[in-house]
Amino acid sequence: MSQVHNEQTKLLATGLNNVSVACIVIGVVTPISAMSFGVASAPPLSFRAGAFAVIWLMAGGCLHWCARHALRRLKP
């Protein structure tokens, strides 16, 4: 039974980490890339854009922390 539990826990952690990466890509990497390439619809560099990026970065970090926390439930 512990092998099934461990695999399900690893699957949960992997899913949370994937969502974490998606949050960081959506909120941080994409706007910075759009600004650097001069995309017309890119957000202008402002406090609001920075706050947006920080919020998404924190959301990604929180989800990553949750994934790491889930892995602590692995059984020997």
Side-chain angles (χ1 to χ4, degrees):
M1 260 325 251
S2 66
Q3 288 180 343
V4 171
H5 175 267
N6 285 348
E7 289 303 316
Q8 288 175 339
T9 302
K10 288 190 278 184
L11 184 62
L12 171 67
T14 300
L16 285 171
N17 196 54
N18 288 343
V19 174
S20 168
V21 170
C23 285
I24 293 170
V25 168
I26 288 169
V28 180
V29 176
T30 301
I32 290 173
S33 298
M35 283 185 245
S36 68
F37 285 114
V39 176
S41 62
L45 187 57
S46 65
F47 175 78
R48 187 174 178 168
F52 176 83
V54 168
I55 290 169
W56 278 102
L57 184 63
M58 290 175 65
C62 182
L63 286 167
H64 179 72
W65 179 84
C66 289
R68 290 176 54 94
H69 187 69
L71 288 175
R72 293 181 187 153
R73 296 187 316 185
L74 290 175
K75 296 178 182 176

